[in-house]
Structures are given as structure tokens and as C-alpha cells.
């Protein structure tokens, strides 16, 4: 698989209108999760170049940033195909806790609503969860909020390189129990799980070609 290009397309601000969101037939893969969970880093690892800004300080990405990738080959066979990656702002950053579902809603509602009720776009949401911290209230709230939109979510367990073998087994099991589906363990640092994630992305993105 070759990534021919990966480019920034547009930003959608919190509470803003959905005007600039691309409305062609390409699939959208949204990256959702707590601030600092590793959304932008994972996006860059998949794109194999640094297109999204990352930071050790949480709350870096305050806009939904949309990128377009053009890919040749890969899962699903030969041919050129495209997909949008959507780096959603992280939730759970506001001091004093707060309602993470409301926070996610504030920034992501326009984005999610822009595609609902229309057949134009295949989409999937990757709900990123720090594999060291399964079961945080903010993450279960966000999962419930996403489920209300339908369209499917895949739980991705990030920073798996930081866990010992026994923690890994325990935490992945815990995530499956809480979210009702097997999480996909990934490490943007070590590369684990990236091929499997590309397979998932290709399934969503390449299914709907006319
Ligand atoms: P916001 O934009 O604030 O919502 O954060 P984000 O989810 O985009 O997180 P970001 O990608 O900026 O990563 C946060 C920190 O986690 C950075 O210091 C990354 O280097 C680190 N990080 C991300 N992925 C991994 C990983 O797979 N392994 C390890 N060890 N560190 C990671
Ligand atoms: Mg980010």
C-alpha cells in the first residue's frame, strides 16, 4: 500500500456550521477520544507523515481538522482510492470534570449531523481509549453519545506499548466488557495494530465505490 498524498482540507470550529465539511462520496474516518489519548499521533502514524499537530500538553487540537488521503493498493486489492481522516477535538480537558458527552457534542455535533440522513458518505468513528485507563466515565459517556448517532464505532486501545503483558491482557478484557466489543490495540510509537487499522479503514472506504 502506498500513500500518494495526505493533505489538510479544512477545520470546523466548535459550534460552527458544517459548511466546509467535504460532501463528496469519499468515506470519513473520525478520530474521537479524550484529550491526550493520541488521536493526532495515530493519524500521523497511519498517514506515515506529520500532518496533524501533536503535543504532550493536552487540549492542543480545539478544532475538527479534516485531512484527505489518497492511497494506492492496500487491503481490498489494487486501485487508487481516497479517504478523509477527521481529527476531532479531545474531550475531558475542561478543569473540574464536566460533561464529556456535552463537550464532544459541542464540537462534533455539526460534523456528525452533516452526514446523517444522506447516503453520500460512508463513515466510521474510531473511539480512542488510553489502554492504561479503561472505564473512565468520560469515555463511556462519549461512547453512549456516539451510539446515539449510529454509524458504528470501533474502540481503539492506544499507547499499548506502555503496558506490561499482564496489564495488557487485563485491560483489553476490561475494555471489551465495558464497551461490548473487542478493542483494537495499537501503538503509534511501535507500529502495532496499524496494519489492522488500515484494513478496517479500507473496508469502510472501499466498499462504497460506485
Ligand atoms: P488533543 O489534541 O489534545 O485532543 O490530544 P491527542 O489525542 O491528539 O494526543 P496527541 O496525539 O497529541 O498525543 C499526546 C501524547 O501522547 C504525545 O506526547 C504523544 O507522543 C503520546 N503518544 C501518542 N500515541 C502514543 C503511543 O502509541 N505510545 C506512546 N508511548 N505515546 C504516545
Ligand atoms: Mg490532537
Amino acid at each position: 500500500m502506498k500513500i500518494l498524498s495526505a493533505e489538510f482540507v479544512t477545520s470546523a470550529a466548535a459550534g460552527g456550521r458544517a459548511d466546509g465539511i467535504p460532501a463528496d462520496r469519499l468515506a470519513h474516518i473520525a478520530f474521537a477520544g479524550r484529550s491526550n489519548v493520541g488521536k493526532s499521533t495515530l493519524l500521523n502514524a497511519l498517514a506515515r507523515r506529520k500532518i496533524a499537530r501533536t503535543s504532550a500538553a493536552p487540549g492542543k487540537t480545539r478544532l475538527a481538522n479534516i485531512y484527505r488521503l489518497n492511497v494506492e493498493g492496500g487491503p481490498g486489492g489494487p486501485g487508487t482510492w481516497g479517504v478523509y481522516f477527521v481529527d476531532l477535538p479531545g474531550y475531558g480537558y475542561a478543569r473540574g470534570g464536566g460533561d464529556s458527552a456535552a463537550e464532544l457534542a459541542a464540537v462534533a455535533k455539526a460534523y456528525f449531523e452533516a452526514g446523517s440522513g444522506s447516503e453520500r458518505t460512508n463513515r466510521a468513528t474510531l473511539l480512542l481509549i488510553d489502554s492504561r485507563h479503561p472505564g473512565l466515565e468520560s469515555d463511556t459517556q462519549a461512547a453512549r453519545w456516539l451510539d446515539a448517532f449510529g454509524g458504528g464505532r470501533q474502540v481503539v486501545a492506544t499507547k499499548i506499548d506502555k503496558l506490561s503483558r499482564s496489564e495488557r491482557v487485563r485491560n483489553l478484557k476490561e475494555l471489551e466488557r465495558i464497551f461490548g466489543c473487542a478493542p483494537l490495540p495499537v501503538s503509534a510509537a511501535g507500529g502495532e495494530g496499524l496494519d489492522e487499522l488500515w484494513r478496517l479503514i479500507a473496508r469502510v472506504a472501499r466498499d462504497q465505490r460506485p
Side-chain angles (χ1 to χ4, degrees):
M1 185 183 89
K2 195 171 166 194
I3 295 160
L4 301 174
S5 64
E7 281 159 13
F8 173 76
V9 178
T10 190
S11 288
R17 291 178 304 166
D19 283 1
I21 297 171
D24 56 26
R25 292 179 51 85
L26 294 187
H28 287 229
I29 307 292
F31 295 66
R34 281 170 66 83
S35 188
N36 217 40
V37 72
K39 297 176 294 299
S40 303
T41 304
L42 182 61
L43 193 154
N44 287 338
L46 289 166
R48 299 176 195 159
R49 64 205 80 189
K50 197 165 167 16
I51 44 176
R53 275 222 281 168
T54 60
S55 168
K60 193 76 191 172
T61 315
R62 302 319 296 161
L63 300 164
N65 291 317
I66 306 183
Y67 304 86
R68 178 182 169 143
L69 282 79
N70 286 310
V71 182
E72 189 176 281
T80 304
W81 51 288
V83 62
Y84 291 108
F85 281 1
V86 184
D87 193 6
L88 294 172
Y91 52 78
Y93 177 62
R95 263 169 297 216
D99 180 350
S100 68
E103 237 182 290
L104 181 62
V107 290
K109 195 164 182 285
Y111 168 72
F112 282 101
E113 284 181 347
S116 61
S118 115
E119 78 288 6
R120 67 161 172 82
T121 296
N122 258 6
R123 60 170 65 204
T125 302
L126 306 177
L127 178 57
L128 274 58
I129 298 187
D130 192 322
S131 59
R132 296 169 296 180
H133 309 295
L136 293 177
E137 172 71 8
S138 58
D139 287 329
T140 52
Q141 278 178 2
R144 275 198 297 274
W145 187 83
L146 287 171
D147 285 345
F149 272 94
R153 62 166 160 87
Q154 167 69 50
V155 171
V156 173
T158 65
K159 308 190 187 183
I160 199 75
D161 55 280
K162 295 203 173 207
L163 297 191
S164 71
R165 194 166 282 274
S166 59
E167 287 170 330
R168 175 193 170 108
V169 172
R170 175 158 34 89
N171 290 7
L172 289 177
K173 216 181 271 175
E174 184 68 359
L175 282 171
E176 177 159 6
R177 186 184 67 75
I178 294 166
F179 295 96
C181 54
L184 176 60
V186 300
S187 167
E192 180 180 346
L194 299 184
D195 289 346
E196 203 169 337
L197 201 42
W198 264 119
R199 274 196 287 281
L200 184 152
I201 292 165
R203 264 203 308 280
V204 174
R206 305 189 76 178
D207 263 347
Q208 49 113 44
R209 291 197 301 171

